[in-house]
Amino acid sequence: MWFKIKLYILFLFKSTNKHGVHSPFVFHLITKCFNRKTDLSQKNKFIKVKKWLLKDETILNVTDFGSGSKVFKMNERKVSDISKVAGIRTKNGLLLIRLIDYFKPKSILEIGTSVGLSSTALSIGNSNAKIISLEGCPNTANYATQLFERFNLSNIEVVTGEFNQTLPNIIHNKSFDFIYFDGNHTQKATLNYFTKCLKTTHNNSIFIFDDINLSKEMHQAWNIIKEHPKVTVTINTFYWGIVFFRKEQNKQHFTIRL
């Protein structure tokens, strides 16, 4: 906890807004995406799904293949509690919608479906995109699939199984425009997924890593990712690490307050 507080204080000192950015690409991203309001119809649809999840008392027996929960002590968990503790924050969910709307990726991969709230944001951002979402727990994956059907989010395919088994098959001979990493929040797993997914990138691909400052090892993983030769531009928003592979850009790292 104290490590995260320390990182947040450092983030506040280092971070800037659009006025401290000297990259036209990043400046445009901040002004036209980060700082604009989410389309009202998209926002309302996301809020509707989130409210549904926060009220759902369904109990799921969750199989956790990741780093484990620091909050939940039992595998039986209410959907409402999962959504409250592990679901994407509304502010980030709306930003995810705007990012997808701004870049308009056609092929999206999500590593870590959970009960489907982040997937919902991805789908709302671009209903024409093909979204593949990986989930380790069969019960959670089944719940998310039913949620997508209920809210007519027809462009999401959920693939169930441990990521080390499902990810290689999903990315084999494929490229992705956008990958959202929100699965196993450990340094080893994060770097493993990053390395595997590098082969799917093209010049305009975008990676987003959730919870880069969750722990010391996630912070270390983020620093390693930043220095990879294929990575050119990164943006640290504290909760997210956003990665670009644009060869026309000089290598630059930005710390942006949202």
Side-chain angles (χ1 to χ4, degrees):
M1 175 63 74
W2 285 111
F3 180 78
K4 191 171 182 179
I5 293 172
K6 178 183 175 182
L7 286 180
Y8 187 66
I9 294 171
L10 290 173
F11 170 83
L12 292 177
F13 276 109
K14 292 181 179 180
S15 60
T16 186
N17 53 27
K18 63 183 180 181
H19 300 295
V21 171
H22 303 292
S23 163
F25 169 73
V26 177
F27 180 82
H28 196 270
L29 174 61
I30 293 172
T31 55
K32 303 299 182 182
C33 177
F34 285 6
N35 291 347
R36 79 170 178 86
K37 292 184 178 180
T38 309
D39 176 83
L40 187 58
S41 63
Q42 292 178 322
K43 178 180 178 179
N44 288 341
K45 190 169 185 178
F46 177 79
I47 295 298
K48 183 178 180 181
V49 176
K50 185 164 186 177
K51 284 182 177 179
W52 172 274
L53 290 170
L54 290 174
K55 290 180 180 179
D56 194 341
E57 299 293 298
T58 301
I59 296 176
L60 302 178
N61 194 313
V62 177
T63 303
D64 197 337
F65 295 104
S67 57
S69 174
K70 295 181 180 179
V71 177
F72 297 110
K73 304 303 179 184
M74 300 178 64
N75 290 338
E76 290 188 348
R77 306 168 189 175
K78 291 182 180 179
V79 169
S80 57
D81 292 336
I82 296 172
S83 305
K84 189 181 300 181
V85 173
I88 190 170
R89 298 162 68 237
T90 299
K91 183 177 180 180
N92 284 354
L94 297 180
L95 176 57
L96 191 55
I97 291 171
R98 296 199 301 276
L99 280 165
I100 297 299
D101 189 45
Y102 180 81
F103 287 109
K104 293 180 171 51
K106 295 179 180 179
S107 55
I108 300 173
L109 174 62
E110 178 184 39
I111 302 177
T113 316
S114 187
V115 292
L117 189 56
S118 296
S119 319
T120 295
L122 295 169
S123 177
I124 292 172
N126 184 4
S127 60
N128 294 317
K130 176 177 173 55
I131 302 169
I132 299 175
S133 186
L134 309 186
E135 175 54 40
C137 173
N139 293 330
T140 310
N142 183 58
Y143 179 89
T145 300
Q146 293 178 35
L147 180 82
F148 303 148
E149 292 174 354
R150 176 181 293 276
F151 288 97
N152 298 314
L153 304 171
S154 58
N155 61 330
I156 308 171
E157 174 190 357
V158 180
V159 177
T160 308
E162 292 189 55
F163 299 153
N164 286 334
Q165 297 175 1
T166 58
L167 183 60
N169 293 328
I170 291 299
I171 65 176
H172 182 65
N173 289 334
K174 293 188 182 72
S175 66
F176 285 95
D177 301 327
F178 193 102
I179 302 182
Y180 184 64
F181 296 80
D182 188 20
N184 188 334
H185 293 137
T186 64
Q187 179 179 352
K188 182 179 179 181
T190 299
L191 293 177
N192 179 33
Y193 305 151
F194 168 69
T195 302
K196 282 184 168 63
C197 290
L198 276 174
K199 65 185 71 173
T200 73
T201 61
H202 52 78
N203 194 63
N204 295 317
S205 293
I206 304 160
F207 285 4
I208 292 186
F209 294 87
D210 186 53
D211 279 337
I212 58 170
N213 290 305
L214 177 68
S215 63
K216 186 175 182 179
E217 63 172 334
M218 281 299 290
H219 182 69
Q220 290 171 340
W222 171 242
N223 285 330
I224 293 170
I225 289 167
K226 285 166 57 178
E227 298 308 316
H228 192 280
K230 287 190 71 173
V231 172
T232 54
V233 175
T234 69
I235 299 175
N236 175 359
T237 69
F238 189 74
Y239 291 103
W240 282 350
I242 307 176
V243 175
F244 299 93
F245 303 90
R246 294 160 53 88
K247 294 177 181 177
E248 65 271 29
Q249 301 280 147
N250 293 325
K251 197 174 187 73
Q252 290 178 289
H253 306 301
F254 299 90
T255 305
I256 304 296
R257 292 190 303 273
L258 298 179

